[in-house]
Amino acid sequence: MTTHTADRTRPPTTGHTAHAIPETALEELRVTDDAGRPTEPFTAREDGVPQDCVGALLRCCLRDARAGERVALVSYAPLRRWAAGTGAEPGAYDEQGPVFVHAGACGGPDGAAGRYPATGAGALRVLRRYNAQGQIIGGRYLEVPEAAEAAFDAALGEAFADPRTALVHVRAVEYGCFQFEVRPER
């Protein structure tokens, strides 16, 4: 895995798009998560009861959770779900982990968070590249600079320069949580 901090003077090289959890997957996750547990919605509160989620990225709409919203913490297996739609067999590379989503339909991303959500300066991210079989073929650590979009454009441009790259998962370094998925622009 390569470690980089993006060059702040370099202009964006491409226009990749962050993808939220697809609506069909969200409908299922709002009933039973990918670990087989029933979903238990709750109201996001500033005091963190029952879960500290205000300000956390909602993977359904790619914006931060707000106090008073009905949300759920679910286990999500993004590579497994992608593989099911493509016929890939990721085997041991299949992972599941916790993500926050709205408890009900929210309309998806509205673009207010920019092209790459949850990427404030200083955020630590890893971009994992997967091939068409669902195997990890590389990764890149990124400490997000002030020019976050340019940094992600450069890192994703590098990832998709490898023709074997079928998709990239962006994860938080601290907890390993899935943030969003990026597919090649075609």
Side-chain angles (χ1 to χ4, degrees), residues 75-92:
S75 183
Y76 177 55
L79 193 61
R80 180 185 315 159
R81 287 182 174 269
W82 170 83
T86 65
E89 295 190 26

Side-chain angles (χ1 to χ4, degrees), residues 150-171:
F152 272 89
D153 281 340
L156 290 163
E158 179 183 294
F160 290 114
D162 181 341
R164 300 173 302 153
T165 303
L167 74 156
V168 173
H169 284 172
V170 175
R171 293 180 175 266

Side-chain angles (χ1 to χ4, degrees), residues 115-179:
R115 286 190 297 125
Y116 309 117
T119 56
L124 304 176
R125 299 292 180 254
V126 64
L127 287 74
R128 288 192 194 158
R129 296 184 294 122
Y130 296 90
N131 64 18
Q133 292 76 43
Q135 301 162 337
I136 294 175
I137 58 169
R140 182 176 195 229
Y141 170 85
L142 179 68
E143 181 174 352
V144 181
E146 290 292 328
E149 281 200 12
F152 272 89
D153 281 340
L156 290 163
E158 179 183 294
F160 290 114
D162 181 341
R164 300 173 302 153
T165 303
L167 74 156
V168 173
H169 284 172
V170 175
R171 293 180 175 266
V173 170
E174 299 89 338
Y175 301 106
C177 296
F178 172 83
Q179 299 292 298

